[in-house]
Amino acid sequence: MTQTLKRLPVYLVLLVGAALSIIPFLWMVIASTHTTAALFATPLPLLPGGELWKNLARLQQETNFSQVMVNSLVVAVIYTAFSCVVSAMCGYGLAKFRFRGRGLVLGAVLLTMMIPMQVLLVPLFQMMASLGWVNSYQALILPFLANAFGIFLMRQAFLDFPDSLIESARIDGAGELKTFYRIVMPVARPQLAALMIYTFISQWNSFIWPLLMLNTEDKYTLPVALNTMIGLSRVDYSGLMLGSLLATLPLLLVFIIFQKQFVSGLMGGAVKG
Amino acid sequence: MPKAMKLAAPLLALALLSGCATGGVPSAAGTKLSSDAAVSGQITVWSWDVAATALKRLSKEYTKEHPGTTINVVDIGYDNAYDKMSVGLQANSGLPDVITVETDHMPAYIHQFPKAFTDLKPLIGADEAQFDPSKISASSSADGKLLSMPWDSGTVALYVRTDYFKAAGVDPSKLATWDDLITAGEEVKAATGHALISTDLSTGSLFQMLLQQQGQGIFTPDGAINLTSAAAVKALALIKTMNDKGLLDNVKGWDGRVTATKNGKSAVMPEAVWWIGTLTGEMPELANKITVVPLPAFTAGGTQTSNDGGSTLAIPTQAKNPQLAGSFVKFMLANKDNQVSMMKDEGLFPSYLPALDAPLFHAPQAYFGGEKVYELFAAQTPKIPSITYTSDNAKAGDTVSSAVVAAVLNHQDPAAALKSAAEQIATATGRKIAQQP
């Protein structure tokens, strides 16, 4: 009993925290079921209204939402897959291979994290324009394939991996690729899962670069398409809320799927002695 | 308006970059346009919101009249449009044949990228005099080129809650000066308990509107800082008086103005003609409760309007098909029928004055109890005072807003607050403060 009483303040704090994180989502749900005009009324509507289907139809009609959703998925999935492969391989190389200038390469990779995106916009834009890649998906994916954060994360993950395991794999006749794929990667699954979630979310939410690159409405990704609902003297808040709500669902799904990997990748006594 | 505060950071970064980006300056001043050139091929047009709707609708008419042409209209969204366009201007590539630029934004673009836009004067020639003069001056460069074509005007008038005025026994059509309005506001407040105006003081837009009504801007025509002028002090003192008498309702941003109006917080709204779209769209329940009268003047018989908003179309020099772009821009904007149809379908109020003769502008409007409100806006549009915009208007805007807040909410003397703002702007921009007579 006293134990429970002692914990009461903790629960209260947690309750406040939970409310603070849930209320915006709840508001998103409620707002997406009203007309925009109703959202300006006082008092604010606190219960869901009956405009959901109308809002959905308008969202689909004005932004071609289903197409945009597919576009976003395609870009984010391809980017996540390739970017994680590059990060893992590069991180492995930097962690486990000894070569001249290794520290320098790592330093250079980390240094790129310090360059703000705004500085890159114009030069990168010119580069894409001269390659003829404006309004293409490779322009969204390729420039950011080597992701400094991912490389660093994977390098840290591989650092602790016992060299003796790699050596024994080599002695048993496994080639470099096989050693990497069969012996090293399975152990780094938790970190890889975390990286996948991170890269997927960052590409899914990415706004300013796709906005600059994509010039036809049928190629827009979600954030760029939702942005068109913000007009000069009129903002379609209910459509915007519904779009944001639907845009959050895939993220939730990705998180649920990969969360399991966080706990299942334990190393469990691979090295004896 | 969901305004462009968040643009400041990336734009600043772009400004810093302008020194080191290579190949960012177009070499030639663009194609010489001709009003009767043969057109063919295709163009792409960037726009947003109802403007994009209008372009899409009328582009079909254009291609019908000009076989063998294709017009692609892309809605790039308003919120970050300037980020997208600034990068294209900076990189001197990636922009389409026609872009939409707001009137207020054009002077900064003209200053920052003087060679990036095509002169549109050859398209319309003497017809230039047929446009809202305040818009033409904002779109013109110092050497007399017309770098974007005015589209719609943000003619300002006073929207009045008739039920509140009736309750106080005041006739809104008798409001000749701002002093009259303040007296009326006090009577309305006594009778109904409502404030006079809901505004967001932190944006300074009410102040700038009142300044333009007196024919002045933040800067004088030769680029000096104009904040110490008698007109500026008068405008700020007016806002302060209203607040001291409890007649101002300070709200937050665009959403705050819409909410305050919908809930009837205030008796009048000094707003542009496009506010009608917000009224009919978001608050149909206020039908028959609102009338429109000209803005009260500062002195009886003075100017009774100002400007807030409005857009233009520009043709970047990097356009691939400038002749077709020019022909299309002329077709859209320097054309009575099309301007009238955009007013009718999209609520874009023409800057092209001949369009204002159309019967549509003399038709009674059901929302306003059958009053001919567009007639009033049409009569005021040619009278909007032209003011000078400079490349530093955006930078000065924040300082001006702080001065407004300091004087109105923190009880500083208006003249002193404006003088200190002028000094800050002088330090930040290196401009002179205009000598007052």
Side-chain angles (χ1 to χ4, degrees):
Chain A
M1 192 60 209
T2 45
Q3 277 290 29
T4 327
L5 269 182
K6 265 186 193 161
R7 286 207 188 136
L8 201 62
V10 179
Y11 285 137
L12 278 177
V13 169
L14 288 178
L15 203 67
V16 171
L20 282 179
S21 11
I22 287 175
I23 286 173
F25 282 96
L26 216 57
W27 172 242
M28 214 148 78
V29 174
I30 294 168
S32 59
T33 58
H34 287 278
T35 60
T36 297
L39 300 181
F40 284 110
T42 317
L44 280 172
L46 292 178
L47 292 172
E51 295 285 322
L52 179 64
W53 298 113
K54 265 191 203 159
N55 288 339
L56 191 63
R58 197 178 62 249
L59 185 67
Q60 172 63 25
Q61 195 212 331
E62 300 219 330
T63 63
N64 197 1
F65 196 76
S66 51
Q67 168 79 48
V68 162
M69 195 84 159
V70 172
N71 293 349
S72 258
L73 273 175
V74 167
V75 172
V77 167
I78 294 178
Y79 174 72
T80 306
F82 283 94
S83 163
C84 286
V85 169
V86 170
S87 294
M89 286 187 161
C90 188
Y92 178 59
L94 286 172
K96 288 298 167 193
F97 288 80
R98 299 175 160 274
F99 54 91
R100 210 177 260 280
R102 183 169 76 161
L104 209 67
V105 172
L106 182 67
V109 166
L110 290 181
L111 216 61
T112 63
M113 285 175 86
M114 293 178 194
I115 304 173
M117 185 63 194
Q118 285 87 336
V119 177
L120 291 175
L121 287 180
V122 172
L124 205 54
F125 185 91
Q126 281 175 326
M127 205 188 272
M128 294 300 123
S130 56
L131 286 170
W133 283 3
V134 172
N135 204 24
S136 74
Y137 287 152
Q138 61 261 39
L140 300 193
I141 295 170
L142 289 180
F144 308 101
L145 218 46
N147 166 358
F149 170 78
I151 292 171
F152 185 66
L153 186 85
M154 292 318 285
R155 173 185 173 269
Q156 297 306 100
F158 292 133
L159 267 189
D160 298 334
F161 191 86
D163 287 335
S164 48
L165 258 183
I166 301 177
E167 281 156 15
S168 60
R170 280 180 191 144
I171 290 167
D172 286 347
E176 281 306 331
L177 261 182
K178 196 166 187 184
T179 311
F180 173 67
Y181 180 68
R182 291 285 190 151
I183 309 294
V184 182
M185 273 320 284
V187 177
R189 267 164 76 182
Q191 286 93 340
L192 190 68
L195 181 63
M196 279 179 145
I197 294 178
Y198 171 82
T199 43
F200 187 89
I201 292 179
S202 72
Q203 181 65 280
W204 186 260
N205 289 342
S206 167
F207 172 64
I208 191 77
W209 184 247
L211 175 81
L212 294 181
M213 273 296 124
L214 302 177
N215 287 337
T216 53
E217 284 156 45
D218 57 328
K219 287 205 168 155
Y220 278 0
T221 56
L222 266 171
V224 181
L226 288 181
N227 183 53
T228 63
M229 304 194 87
I230 303 176
L232 192 52
S233 65
R234 234 179 281 180
V235 185
D236 184 354
Y237 280 109
S238 50
L240 212 52
M241 284 295 175
L242 182 60
S244 312
L245 186 68
L246 293 175
T248 322
L249 294 183
L251 287 188
L252 215 62
L253 218 64
V254 166
F255 200 80
I256 290 170
I257 291 171
F258 284 95
Q259 201 188 19
K260 281 186 192 160
Q261 303 290 331
F262 277 128
V263 283
S264 68
L266 295 171
M267 217 161 109
V271 189
K272 287 191 180 105
Chain B
M1 224 170 287
K3 260 291 175 189
M5 289 305 287
K6 65 181 96 158
L7 297 186
L11 283 180
L12 190 69
L14 285 177
L16 290 173
L17 262 178
S18 56
C20 53
T22 49
V25 181
S27 49
T31 321
K32 180 116 174 59
L33 294 180
S34 140
S35 59
D36 48 2
V39 292
S40 62
Q42 61 166 343
I43 54 167
T44 301
V45 184
W46 284 357
S47 197
W48 51 68
D49 205 7
V50 289
T53 316
L55 288 163
K56 281 179 186 165
R57 185 171 60 80
L58 287 170
S59 66
K60 294 194 192 97
E61 305 286 319
Y62 181 86
T63 45
K64 222 180 279 168
E65 278 182 34
H66 301 83
T69 59
T70 313
I71 317 278
N72 306 307
V73 179
V74 183
D75 184 345
I76 60 168
Y78 170 70
D79 215 20
N80 295 79
Y82 292 107
D83 290 350
K84 193 172 164 79
M85 293 192 285
S86 297
V87 169
L89 287 165
Q90 193 85 55
N92 194 27
S93 64
L95 285 185
D97 304 270
V98 180
I99 57 176
T100 311
V101 183
E102 278 168 284
T103 313
D104 300 358
H105 232 92
M106 203 54 207
Y109 268 176
I110 292 175
H111 184 266
Q112 205 179 349
F113 308 105
K115 289 183 177 162
F117 298 99
T118 311
D119 185 11
L120 304 180
K121 212 163 215 173
L123 285 178
I124 52 171
D127 229 14
E128 194 177 270
Q130 303 286 329
F131 285 90
D132 172 353
S134 70
K135 300 275 153 181
I136 290 286
S137 82
S139 289
S140 298
S141 66
D143 54 355
K145 287 182 184 145
L146 182 68
L147 297 180
S148 71
M149 185 128 20
W151 186 341
D152 61 318
S153 288
T155 316
V156 174
L158 196 67
Y159 295 76
V160 179
R161 279 291 294 255
T162 45
D163 46 346
Y164 294 178
F165 270 65
K166 192 174 267 177
V170 185
D171 180 359
S173 64
K174 297 262 157 59
L175 300 170
T177 64
W178 281 101
D179 292 336
D180 294 348
L181 183 64
I182 289 177
T183 318
E186 286 177 302
E187 288 168 27
V188 170
K189 178 144 194 183
T192 66
H194 291 289
L196 183 63
I197 297 176
S198 292
T199 184
D200 186 351
L201 286 171
S202 67
T203 66
S205 61
L206 181 61
F207 171 76
Q208 293 201 34
M209 198 191 83
L210 292 172
L211 194 56
Q212 182 167 7
Q213 189 190 354
Q214 301 174 77
Q216 298 192 10
I218 300 177
F219 298 98
T220 63
D222 48 7
I225 301 158
N226 190 36
L227 289 176
T228 50
S229 70
V233 176
K234 219 190 265 179
L236 188 52
L238 173 65
I239 303 175
K240 187 175 162 65
T241 312
M242 286 195 276
N243 190 59
D244 291 349
K245 291 179 186 279
L247 299 177
L248 276 196
D249 167 36
N250 192 15
V251 295
K252 190 84 206 89
W254 166 258
D255 299 347
R257 265 154 71 199
V258 175
T259 310
T261 308
K262 191 173 170 73
N263 296 316
K265 291 276 267 292
S266 298
V268 304
M269 302 142 259
E271 295 279 0
V273 59
W274 43 258
W275 186 246
I276 293 177
T278 310
L279 289 176
T280 52
E282 315 292 4
M283 30 206 127
E285 69 275 14
L286 294 184
N288 298 322
K289 287 186 182 166
I290 294 177
T291 183
V292 184
V293 297
L295 274 189
F298 274 84
T299 48
T303 309
Q304 291 197 288
T305 188
S306 185
N307 182 70
D308 183 8
S311 297
T312 66
L313 287 178
I315 302 176
T317 41
Q318 51 179 283
K320 296 200 182 60
N321 194 346
Q323 294 297 356
L324 176 57
S327 163
F328 180 65
V329 168
K330 188 182 176 197
F331 169 85
M332 289 293 296
L333 305 184
N335 177 316
K336 188 175 163 177
D337 294 341
N338 289 337
Q339 281 276 19
V340 171
S341 96
M342 289 192 281
M343 176 70 213
K344 185 164 163 277
D345 287 12
E346 283 89 18
L348 295 164
F349 196 83
S351 294
Y352 186 59
L353 303 174
L356 299 177
D357 299 337
L360 177 68
F361 295 92
H362 304 283
Q365 299 301 320
Y367 186 88
F368 297 94
E371 275 179 47
K372 300 170 182 171
V373 291
Y374 288 126
E375 209 168 63
L376 186 153
F377 285 105
Q380 293 294 338
T381 302
K383 299 182 193 163
I384 300 173
S386 307
I387 58 170
T388 307
Y389 293 92
T390 68
S391 53
D392 288 324
N393 266 64
K395 205 189 265 177
D398 289 342
T399 316
V400 171
S401 317
S402 313
V404 172
V405 171
V408 178
L409 297 181
N410 299 339
H411 309 294
Q412 271 188 29
D413 173 51
L418 285 169
K419 184 160 180 283
S420 123
E423 281 158 5
Q424 281 177 50
I425 296 170
T427 316
T429 64
R431 289 177 187 272
K432 286 201 187 72
I433 300 176
Q435 292 302 315
Q436 299 307 329

